[in-house]
Amino acid sequence: MPTPTVSRERRLGAWWVLVVGGLALLVLGGTGVLPDVTEGIGAVAVTSAYTWALAARTGGRPIVFAALAAVAGAVVLLLDTQELRTGAAVMTCTVGAVLGVMATVPARQFLIAVREVVIAVVLAGGAAVAAVGYAPTISLVRFEYTVLALSFVVVLGLVYRLGAGLHGLGRRGVIAVVVGSLVLAVILAYAEALRRYGATSVVGSVLDSASWMLETVGGVPRPIQAALGVPALAWGTYMRARRRQGWWLCIFGVAATAPVANGVMNPSATLLQALLGVVYSLAIGFVIAYVVIRADLALTGSRGSRARRNEERSAVRPEPSRTRPLL
């Protein structure tokens, strides 16, 4: 009879085979090496694998939900309507964005927090590539807002349980959530106002700046990722090693994972430009996160390098490992 550890390793191995195999089918189908239907099959495989992982991580029934995702994906491919294909793409990107946040573990040190954010973004990127395999017909802005809103709602429901409800927020958690909500609202409101009502000169200068960055450095950082998503997820994982309130900060981590899909879906940008945009967003976000974390430690913790090292060694709040259920 196999031990639980062996069984878990087999499931993890099967998951990797499904993801890597699905991505390989996507690439082979998208490049014309294999028939076009192969791309859709690869997308369904990755969607099912991600659904499996998210259900397992959040204490659900992974086999049941993965099977439902596979059946839904097969129906999408068989009926082949734009509405179903677009809906499948939205679902896949949402699952990837949420899984990226849920798959993180507490970070005792800042460099570990950097690693966790990178893992989250890479996971979201895999889902975004799979979503392309459904060949959706989208309005880019509407697609971005839909994925971000759905991801935020799902993560909020999960964090409500992980963070011990609203009474687990505490003063620091309330301040962090309020500030994060304000930053998110300001960024979205400014972007929408600029898109709809912005003066021609202002819009022109923004577009000129973006064009200059594309020509000079090959990519444009996304403000919502750089200013909110990456710092919030890095700070949240760092705080989770010390107190449960860190989960409430991780809610805004979907602002780092959800926009990855939008960059991949943008028909006017190449895959390299989308990748460089994410890299630049990460770089800016990590600088902001480092400043915020150091300011937090200076205001609430002991000062000095020795005191910080002692604080890091004592940050041992337990959480399940990356491959175990959180709930």
Side-chain angles (χ1 to χ4, degrees):
M1 183 175 181
T3 64
T5 301
V6 173
S7 179
R8 192 182 311 113
E9 290 177 351
R10 288 176 178 175
R11 290 195 296 269
L12 184 60
W15 185 83
W16 275 112
V17 169
L18 195 58
V19 171
V20 174
L23 291 175
L25 291 176
L26 279 162
V27 173
L28 294 174
T31 55
V33 176
L34 293 177
D36 292 342
V37 69
T38 308
E39 194 173 6
I41 295 172
V44 173
V46 175
T47 301
S48 302
Y50 270 58
T51 305
W52 179 1
L54 182 59
R57 183 64 168 160
T58 55
R61 298 181 179 272
I63 296 178
V64 173
F65 283 102
L68 289 174
V71 171
V75 170
V76 170
L77 297 182
L78 288 173
L79 296 181
D80 195 20
T81 65
Q82 288 300 329
E83 292 80 8
L84 289 178
R85 285 183 173 273
T86 302
V90 169
M91 182 190 76
T92 301
C93 292
T94 301
V95 170
V98 175
L99 178 61
V101 175
M102 291 292 107
T104 57
V105 296
R108 293 190 302 110
Q109 300 174 342
F110 177 74
L111 289 180
I112 299 177
V114 170
R115 181 197 68 188
E116 293 305 306
V117 175
V118 171
I119 290 174
V121 171
V122 169
L123 283 172
V129 172
V132 175
Y134 288 108
T137 301
I138 63 170
S139 164
L140 199 60
V141 174
R142 187 178 301 173
F143 182 86
E144 179 181 18
Y145 287 171
T146 302
V147 172
L148 181 62
L150 290 176
S151 303
F152 190 86
V153 170
V154 174
V155 170
L156 180 61
L158 294 171
V159 168
Y160 183 84
R161 299 172 64 187
L162 292 169
L166 294 177
H167 67 276
L169 270 170
R171 181 182 300 175
R172 182 182 300 183
V174 170
I175 294 174
V177 169
V178 170
V179 171
S181 300
L182 289 175
V183 172
L184 178 62
V186 168
I187 292 175
L188 293 179
Y190 177 77
E192 188 65 16
L194 191 64
R195 187 175 68 87
R196 292 194 177 191
Y197 312 112
T200 305
S201 59
V202 177
V203 175
S205 63
V206 172
L207 294 177
D208 290 342
S209 300
S211 299
W212 178 85
M213 293 196 69
L214 281 175
E215 294 174 0
T216 306
V217 295
V220 181
R222 298 185 63 82
I224 195 170
Q225 281 183 306
L228 177 61
V230 174
L233 190 54
W235 190 17
T237 55
Y238 190 86
M239 188 183 292
R240 273 164 51 196
R242 293 146 177 83
R243 54 188 66 86
R244 196 185 307 185
Q245 294 168 341
W247 271 114
W248 287 99
L249 274 172
C250 288
I251 291 175
F252 301 101
V254 294
T257 55
V260 175
N262 191 254
V264 175
M265 289 286 183
N266 190 348
S268 63
T270 65
L271 187 59
L272 178 60
Q273 289 173 344
L275 177 61
L276 288 175
V278 172
V279 170
Y280 298 147
S281 298
L282 288 172
I284 296 171
F286 287 144
V287 172
I288 297 174
Y290 183 83
V291 172
V292 171
I293 289 172
R294 288 305 174 208
D296 182 33
L297 291 176
L299 293 173
T300 62
S302 302
R303 298 184 179 182
S305 58
R306 179 179 296 180
R308 285 198 298 268
R309 288 195 296 270
N310 292 334
E311 191 272 341
E312 289 175 355
R313 284 194 292 268
S314 64
V316 290
R317 179 183 167 270
E319 268 193 24
S321 64
R322 201 184 308 276
T323 58
R324 290 180 176 273
L326 286 167
L327 297 170

